[in-house]
Each structure stands twice: as structure tokens, then as C-alpha cells.
């Protein structure tokens, strides 16, 4: 354990916190050092141009994960972290003030070593079932505020694979989602500071070259989807096979429906602890969030596409998802993922360097 608080310590905390997960490696935050014990996080969301950031929820969850990462990292320096948030009604640009203080006798959080090791595994994993100890550790990390459902049998994994197959059909034929898919991949790359590198996507090189060419325009995508079964290979490689080849799937459901920004932040903090615990247990995880997100749209009766058929498909998918989880349409969903044993991915998303995440602090820093 290291002790001390100064600007250099804050920079080290920022360097660790930037490894928090965010949707498609969007990193919706910037930092200002306000004093030796005061860090300001300027949050933002991507709802205006990312279909999957419904009402900014994905970004707010990421903000929560960042705050929890700061707390865990601070423990390594013998520090306690507390925070406040200021925001407007929509919380499009919340500002978090994080304060650090000495915590005598505090020990480093056991999840600290996994902050940088946590990674997404998008390729098929082994079908080894989670041990009872691994499952118990994950449930403990989730805490009492979340209901946890594991889908581990072959039959359940096949049901999830079918669900994800149909979900991918919505995702890949939705024109409104096309800009996200076009921009999120850094082609021919093993690592990426701002996007997902091609080698981490989970497709073979031939499929990657075809995807790169097709996704240069929506017209090509639409033509391939309509006449050449263009969604089939991506759905097999990115959705169906990974859903079958894993240890199981995990659905997290809040006990109470999240309403406020603070609710979503707390969920993000829980998620980070779950994900770091998965890494601590020698496992890997891949989020499977789009069926949860399409359910948010469907259950809020919010049409996400000019094609009404896609909303109808999302509504039917939501009903089947609820049947799988044995719950009703009014019960909230939060996070869905697959978990399993695999080798460490050789390709991954990195993060923007700390200096590119810094924002100059001024006396008139806007709030909200």
C-alpha cells in the first residue's frame, strides 16, 4: 500500500480510472485537477448519435463504473474517495466532484490488481461450468440490490443463442444503428485507444475484409442484407456461436426500477465490481447489452427506427427475453453478459492517454 496525496497521486488515479469500461470504448469523461485532494470529472453521454445510449443510460452506467474504479484505486494509496454530482434534468453533462482523504488503516481493495487486466472476450470460450465458488463470488459482488439469473445448461445457452440471433437481425438491419457499426471498429488493428480493434471483434480475417468493404455505405449494407444474406455470417460468428460456447450467461435485474441519475450510477458501480470479480476468479466476460437496450425502447414504447417492423421485432424479442428470465414486462433489466474460461485475448481496446483526457480547470467551470 502506498500513502500520500498530491497532484502526482491524482494523475496516477486518473491513469487507473481511465480503464473503466464504457460502451464501444467511448470513454465519456474528461478530468480536471482542482486541487491536491479534489478531482473533477466532466461526464457526457452519446445519446444524440449512438442508438444504444438510450436516454444516456449506457454512459451513466459507465460514469458509475469510473467512480467505483477511482474508489478502488484510491484504496491502494491509503485513501478514501467520496463524490458529489451536479446535473440538469436530462443529465447530459453531469459533473462529478471527487474528494480524497487519508484513510488510516485502510487496505488495498482486493479488486485493485484487476483494473487494467479486465478485458472483453468476444470469441468463443470453453463450455466449462462455473464453480459454486465462482458463482458465489459474482453474486456477492452484485449485492442485495440486484437479482442474478444464470443460464448455464446447454438448453439454456441454445435459448440465449436463438435470442441473440434474432436480436442481431434487428441490430444489423437497422439504418439508425449503421453509423455506430461503421465507426466503432479500427480496421486491421490489434489495439485501439478510441475504438474496438478489428482483431478483438471476433470474426475471421476474410469476414473482416468483407465487413470493412460493405460497411463503407448503408446502400451496400442494405443490398447485402436483402439479396445476399449479408447478416448470416456476422450473426453466426458474433452472436450464435459465442452464445453456445461459453460457461453461461448472466442477467442482472435491479430489485427496484432505476429512475434517477444516481440510480444508474449505483448500477454502474455494481457492474464494475462484478466485472472485476469475474477477472479475479480467472474468468472472462462479454457484455450482451443490445437485447436489454432494445427492451428499454420497446417497453417505453419508444420507436428507435423509421422501419416500424423493427420495433415490432424488438417487442416480440422482449417478450421472449422475459419468458427466459421468468419475469414480467414491468420488471427492470440492467445488464446481460456471457461468462466463461478462455485464454487471455491477444487483442483489446486500450484507452486514450491521460493527457488527452485532461480538461483545463477554470473558476467558471460549467455545471450540468
Amino acid at each position: 500500500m502506498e500513502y500520500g496525496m498530491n497532484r502526482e497521486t491524482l494523475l496516477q488515479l486518473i491513469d487507473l480510472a481511465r480503464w473503466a469500461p464504457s460502451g464501444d470504448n467511448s470513454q465519456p469523461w474528461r478530468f480536471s485537477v482542482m486541487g491536491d485532494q479534489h478531482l473533477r470529472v466532466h461526464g457526457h453521454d452519446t445519446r444524440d448519435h449512438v442508438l444504444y445510449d438510450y436516454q444516456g443510460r449506457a454512459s451513466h452506467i459507465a460514469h458509475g463504473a469510473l467512480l467505483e474504479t477511482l474508489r478502488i484505486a484510491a484504496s491502494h494509496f491509503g485513501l478514501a474517495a467520496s463524490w458529489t454530482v451536479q446535473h440538469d434534468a436530462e443529465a447530459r453533462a453531469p459533473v462529478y466532484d471527487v474528494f480524497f482523504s487519508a484513510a488510516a488503516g485502510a487496505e488495498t481493495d482486493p479488486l485493485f490488481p484487476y483494473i487494467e487486466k479486465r478485458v472483453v472476450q468476444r470469441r468463443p470460450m470453453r463450455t466449462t461450468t462455473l464453480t459454486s465458488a465462482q458463482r458465489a463470488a459474482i453474486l456477492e459482488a452484485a449485492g442485495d440490490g440486484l437479482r442474478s439469473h444464470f443460464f448455464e445448461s446447454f438448453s439454456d445457452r441454445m435459448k440465449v443463442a436463438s435470442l441473440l440471433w434474432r436480436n442481431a437481425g434487428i441490430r444489423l438491419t437497422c439504418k439508425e444503428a449503421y453509423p455506430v457499426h461503421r465507426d466503432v471498429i479500427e480496421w486491421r488493428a490489434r489495439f485501439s485507444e478510441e475504438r474496438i480493434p478489428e482483431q478483438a471483434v471476433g470474426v475471421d480475417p476474410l469476414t473482416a475484409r468483407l465487413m470493412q468493404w460493405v460497411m463503407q455505405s448503408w446502400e451496400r449494407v442494405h443490398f447485402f442484407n436483402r439479396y445476399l444474406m449479408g447478416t448470416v455470417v456476422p450473426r453466426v460468428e458474433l452472436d450464435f456461436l459465442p452464445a453456445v460456447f461459453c460457461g453461461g450467461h448472466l442477467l442482472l435485474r435491479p430489485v427496484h426500477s432505476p429512475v434517477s441519475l444516481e440510480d444508474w450510477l449505483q448500477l454502474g458501480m455494481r457492474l464494475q465490481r462484478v466485472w472485476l470479480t469475474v477477472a479475479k476468479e480467472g474468468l472472462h466476460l462479454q457484455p450482451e447489452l443490445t437485447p436489454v437496450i432494445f427492451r428499454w425502447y420497446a417497453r417505453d414504447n419508444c420507436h428507435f427506427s423509421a422501419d416500424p417492423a423493427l420495433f415490432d421485432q424488438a417487442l416480440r424479442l422482449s417478450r421472449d427475453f422475459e419468458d427466459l428470465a421468468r419475469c414480467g414486462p414491468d420488471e427492470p433489466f440492467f445488464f446481460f453478459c456471457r461468462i466463461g474460461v478462455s485464454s487471455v485475448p491477444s487483442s483489446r481496446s486500450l484507452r486514450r492517454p491521460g493527457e488527452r483526457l485532461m480538461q483545463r480547470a477554470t473558476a467558471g467551470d460549467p455545471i450540468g
Side-chain angles (χ1 to χ4, degrees):
M1 182 182 300
E2 302 175 20
Y3 296 91
M5 192 71 224
N6 50 43
R7 182 182 175 86
E8 182 58 33
T9 303
L10 280 180
L11 294 177
Q12 292 181 64
L13 290 172
I14 291 172
D15 191 57
L16 289 163
R18 66 193 178 93
W19 289 97
S22 59
D24 293 332
N25 201 22
S26 58
Q27 303 166 62
W29 43 63
R30 295 295 183 269
F31 302 95
S32 294
V33 175
M34 308 300 292
D36 286 350
Q37 297 176 291
H38 181 190
L39 179 66
R40 178 163 289 173
V41 181
H42 306 264
H44 64 270
D45 66 47
T46 60
R47 73 181 82 183
D48 288 336
H49 60 278
V50 174
L51 178 71
Y52 304 122
D53 199 3
Y54 178 56
Q55 296 183 350
R57 292 176 183 177
S59 292
H60 296 157
I61 290 169
H63 296 165
L66 176 81
L67 293 170
E68 180 64 8
T69 307
L70 276 169
R71 190 198 65 76
I72 294 170
S75 72
H76 182 67
F77 296 87
L79 301 170
S82 61
W83 56 270
T84 61
V85 59
Q86 298 188 55
H87 59 89
D88 61 14
E90 291 190 317
R92 290 175 175 268
V95 175
Y96 307 93
D97 284 292
V98 187
F99 302 94
F100 301 92
S101 59
E107 296 183 356
T108 298
D109 191 298
L111 297 178
F112 173 81
Y114 304 94
I115 290 175
E116 295 183 59
K117 294 180 180 179
R118 181 207 59 80
V119 67
V120 177
Q121 173 56 286
R122 297 180 178 86
R123 297 185 182 276
M125 308 180 200
R126 295 197 284 275
T127 57
T128 307
T129 303
L130 274 63
T131 67
S132 57
Q134 289 171 332
R135 202 177 297 109
I138 292 170
L139 292 175
E140 182 180 358
D144 296 335
L146 293 173
R147 295 187 176 99
S148 304
H149 303 259
F150 286 97
F151 307 96
E152 298 178 286
S153 69
F154 178 74
S155 174
D156 280 349
R157 284 183 279 120
M158 286 297 294
K159 290 176 183 177
V160 172
S162 174
L163 185 84
L164 293 178
W165 174 271
R166 294 164 52 205
N167 174 78
I170 301 172
R171 188 181 76 240
L172 297 174
T173 58
C174 180
K175 185 176 181 180
E176 290 77 6
Y178 163 70
V180 182
H181 303 159
R182 178 196 61 205
D183 298 337
V184 73
I185 301 173
E186 184 166 339
W187 298 106
R188 301 179 184 273
R190 180 180 175 189
F191 303 105
S192 176
E193 292 181 353
E194 300 182 346
R195 291 179 284 172
I196 300 173
E198 175 190 306
Q199 294 180 32
V201 171
V203 296
D204 64 76
L206 182 61
T207 300
R209 297 284 68 75
L210 180 61
M211 287 172 58
Q212 182 181 11
W213 184 80
V214 169
M215 286 201 294
Q216 290 179 24
S217 74
W218 171 249
E219 288 71 26
R220 289 183 187 177
V221 171
H222 183 64
F223 179 85
F224 266 73
N225 288 346
R226 184 168 185 176
Y227 299 108
L228 299 176
M229 297 186 296
T231 70
V232 172
V233 173
R235 289 161 82 181
V236 169
E237 293 192 24
L238 298 178
D239 296 275
F240 191 85
L241 290 179
V244 175
F245 290 97
C246 64
H249 301 263
L250 170 65
L251 174 65
L252 298 176
R253 297 197 296 114
V255 172
H256 303 291
S257 294
V259 176
S260 66
L261 169 64
E262 288 76 6
D263 292 338
W264 291 104
L265 294 174
Q266 289 295 329
L267 289 174
M269 296 168 77
R270 294 283 187 93
L271 169 59
Q272 178 66 332
R273 293 199 68 80
V274 167
W275 203 334
L276 293 174
T277 299
V278 167
K280 183 174 181 290
E281 293 296 317
L283 302 167
H284 285 99
L285 178 154
Q286 179 189 5
E288 298 167 318
L289 275 178
T290 52
V292 174
I293 295 166
F294 285 134
R295 183 178 181 265
W296 288 341
Y297 278 105
R299 289 310 180 196
D300 284 354
N301 196 31
C302 181
H303 290 248
F304 54 86
S305 173
D307 183 352
L310 294 181
F311 180 84
D312 293 338
Q313 292 175 38
L315 194 57
R316 291 194 294 272
L317 189 77
S318 299
R319 296 189 187 110
D320 292 341
F321 202 175
E322 289 153 8
D323 287 343
L324 181 65
R326 299 181 180 179
C327 69
D330 296 328
E331 298 181 64
F333 285 14
F334 157 52
F335 186 72
F336 192 44
C337 66
R338 66 188 188 103
I339 300 174
V341 178
S342 76
S343 57
V344 178
S346 59
S347 172
R348 66 167 298 176
S349 295
L350 303 177
R351 298 295 185 272
R352 295 181 180 93
E355 58 269 19
R356 289 177 54 200
L357 292 171
M358 298 300 293
Q359 181 169 315
R360 186 172 62 87
T362 66
D365 266 337
I367 300 296

